[in-house]
Amino acid sequence: MRSNVDHLTNPLTAVRNLGILAHVDAGKTTVTERFLYATGTTHKRGEVHDGTTVTDYDPQERDRGITIFAAAVSCAWDGHRINLIDTPGHVDFADEVERSLRVLDGAIAVFDAVAGVEPQSESVWRQADRHGVPRIAFVNKLDRAGADLDAAVESIRQRLHPAPLVVQLPIGAEDGFVGVVDLPRMRALVWADGDDNATEGPVPDALRDEAELRRRRLEEAVAELHPGALEEFCAESTLSARTLVTALRDLTRTGEGVVVLCGSAYRNRGIEPLLDAVVAYLPSPLDVPPVRGTHDGTEQERAADERVPLAALAFKVSATATGRLTYLRLYSGTIRKGDTVLDAGTRRTERIGRILRVRADRHAELDHAAAGDIVAVVGLKSARAGTTLCAPAAPLLLEPPSVADPVVSVA
Ligand code: GDP
């Protein structure tokens, strides 16, 4: 297990505001559970089928077996803080998906290795396109009978249209799926039965030719899209792991390519490399464009900087035993306990009560939170999903307030 650091030396570059997008049943909940387990946030693995998962807070969600309401959970991986924002996979909750996409900086799209791209993954992919959310793909359930990574990758190419950049070669198939070859580094990661940590070693002889062929294909695909990589490829006829990783990061952030990883969340295989990929390829709040809003009819931008006035979006309100929790994405500025903030829509002020970092096992209380972060706040009385909170002296409206119930007028 990697170090579980919650005190970051360079907070903004080390933050990943991440969502998991998937068709219902592709394995989003299981991947979330495994993330929390791998990062040491939960000590017992929650299983979807016994109703003990930690991100599905609401009894209605458990009853219906689908993730209805978004919740954000923080965990730490390799010196980075990952704020995992749950996005509903069910089509009936398109508005909530929209709202979640607004507050994410990057996402993992999870696909089922048997089904490939399914209709809901396609529609949520288009929504993410509209929001310009950089993505990596995780082809899950490689342990299932009929699992086919190549076919799933082909369906990504044909139905979603980005260039799939496959960075792993599975070792073993279906029930015998035991690990992956990490193609940029040409190293094998193998999970022994009952062991959550991979053993790293050389590429097995039987897979060497195949791994070399696939690395070559990856190099060619990357060189075709990335001028820096092309230069090195022409000069050296190969790409170093370092160049590959840098180019893959750039291509992810521009959306020109999608890095594809694979595994079996259920068997806890492929989860740690997926966390590494989140850190390596997906952007931090500093790597995304500044947030935009309006004030008195003029458009303004606010940089992800704690020294500029506050702009935050409430994206979820939930009633919990701790109180009424308002989940906030802070885009600029800071909040402190006791601060007065302005609801930019209603022009009323509100007071910040306790500030919480929501974790799977416990909530940590913070005395302040800054630009780029996602936290939950207790004590806001009227903020709703979609409310902008800003500095009273520097109002900015990030999203129009939701339309009130129509007034029935009698002629
Ligand atoms: P969600 O609807 O996307 O959140 O999907 P879940 O995580 O709830 O998973 C749906 C079903 O697929 C559950 O029964 C899981 O146990 C199962 N599942 C998830 N990941 C895997 C996997 O890697 N392999 C197999 N065979 N089943 C999986």
Side-chain angles (χ1 to χ4, degrees), residues 22-30 48 140-141 143-144 264-266:
H23 185 97
V24 166
D25 259 10
K28 188 183 68 185
T29 311
T30 311
V48 174
N140 187 32
K141 305 197 186 186
D143 60 302
R144 276 187 69 189
S264 162
Y266 188 75

Side-chain angles (χ1 to χ4, degrees), residues 20 22-34 47-49 53 56 65-67 86 89 110 112 138 140-145 263-269:
I20 301 183
H23 185 97
V24 166
D25 259 10
K28 188 183 68 185
T29 311
T30 311
V31 170
T32 305
E33 287 303 320
R34 298 309 189 241
E47 301 295 348
V48 174
H49 56 259
T53 61
D56 286 357
I66 54 173
T67 309
D86 195 15
V110 177
D112 179 322
F138 182 67
N140 187 32
K141 305 197 186 186
L142 272 201
D143 60 302
R144 276 187 69 189
S264 162
Y266 188 75
R267 298 202 181 176
N268 215 16
R269 294 180 176 170

Side-chain angles (χ1 to χ4, degrees), residues 90-410:
H90 200 272
V91 279
D92 290 354
F93 303 98
D95 282 356
E96 264 200 61
V97 176
E98 283 285 324
R99 188 116 44 213
S100 309
L101 288 172
R102 226 180 122 192
V103 301
L104 308 174
D105 298 320
I108 301 173
V110 177
F111 301 97
D112 179 322
V114 179
V117 175
E118 294 168 274
Q120 276 167 32
S121 4
E122 208 169 335
S123 55
V124 83
W125 187 274
R126 305 274 166 246
Q127 274 178 306
D129 277 344
R130 282 200 299 281
H131 286 265
V133 175
R135 274 146 283 169
I136 56 178
F138 182 67
V139 177
N140 187 32
K141 305 197 186 186
L142 272 201
D143 60 302
R144 276 187 69 189
D148 186 339
L149 176 63
D150 291 344
V153 168
E154 199 43 43
S155 75
I156 292 173
R157 188 195 312 279
Q158 293 197 354
R159 297 184 59 176
L160 308 178
H161 312 296
L165 304 165
V166 185
V167 296
Q168 293 173 335
L169 168 67
I171 303 176
E174 301 182 344
D175 207 33
F177 167 68
V178 292
V180 294
V181 175
D182 172 350
L183 295 172
R185 293 190 307 133
M186 284 300 262
R187 301 286 291 165
L189 296 170
V190 175
W191 288 269
D193 261 345
D195 190 351
D196 292 326
N197 295 88
T199 305
E200 188 175 320
V203 177
D205 285 343
L207 282 180
R208 184 147 274 284
D209 289 352
E210 179 72 15
E212 274 167 8
L213 180 75
R214 293 202 178 220
R215 192 182 197 279
R216 189 81 190 161
R217 262 192 227 155
L218 174 65
E219 289 174 0
E220 286 169 1
V222 166
E224 199 169 301
L225 295 168
H226 192 280
L230 179 63
E231 205 174 301
E232 181 173 316
F233 191 68
C234 291
E236 315 283 337
S237 340
T238 183
L239 291 180
S240 65
R242 194 192 174 93
T243 304
L244 262 180
V245 170
T246 307
L248 290 168
R249 186 195 63 204
D250 294 345
L251 295 171
T252 302
R253 293 178 187 184
T254 59
E256 287 168 278
V258 61
V259 169
V260 181
L261 298 99
C262 62
S264 162
Y266 188 75
R267 298 202 181 176
N268 215 16
R269 294 180 176 170
I271 294 300
E272 298 198 350
L274 186 57
L275 282 161
D276 289 339
V278 166
V279 164
Y281 305 128
L282 291 177
S284 80
L286 275 184
D287 302 316
V288 299
V291 73
R292 300 178 73 86
T294 53
H295 176 55
D296 283 347
T298 58
E299 279 221 1
Q300 290 180 14
E301 277 185 1
R302 293 252 165 106
D305 184 336
E306 55 184 86
R307 293 162 301 186
V308 303
L310 171 73
L313 185 73
F315 62 96
K316 165 82 182 165
V317 176
S318 45
T320 69
T322 316
R324 187 173 187 268
L325 287 190
T326 307
Y327 288 85
L328 295 182
R329 160 75 196 246
L330 279 81
Y331 290 97
S332 60
T334 56
I335 49 169
R336 274 178 196 284
K337 190 173 170 177
D339 274 359
T340 299
V341 295
L342 182 73
D343 175 333
T346 63
R347 302 283 174 127
R348 279 194 224 119
T349 53
E350 286 247 52
R351 182 156 296 217
I352 303 284
R354 294 160 66 205
I355 304 170
L356 303 176
R357 172 150 339 278
V358 176
R359 297 167 54 115
D361 51 350
R362 68 197 151 82
H363 300 341
E365 192 151 346
L366 310 173
D367 43 71
H368 81 293
D373 212 346
I374 288 186
V375 291
V377 170
V378 187
L380 298 179
K381 293 193 175 65
S382 59
R384 293 180 297 163
T387 295
T388 306
L389 297 175
C390 59
L396 185 76
L397 184 65
L398 296 179
E399 193 180 60
S402 51
V403 182
D405 291 337
V407 178
V408 179
S409 59
V410 181

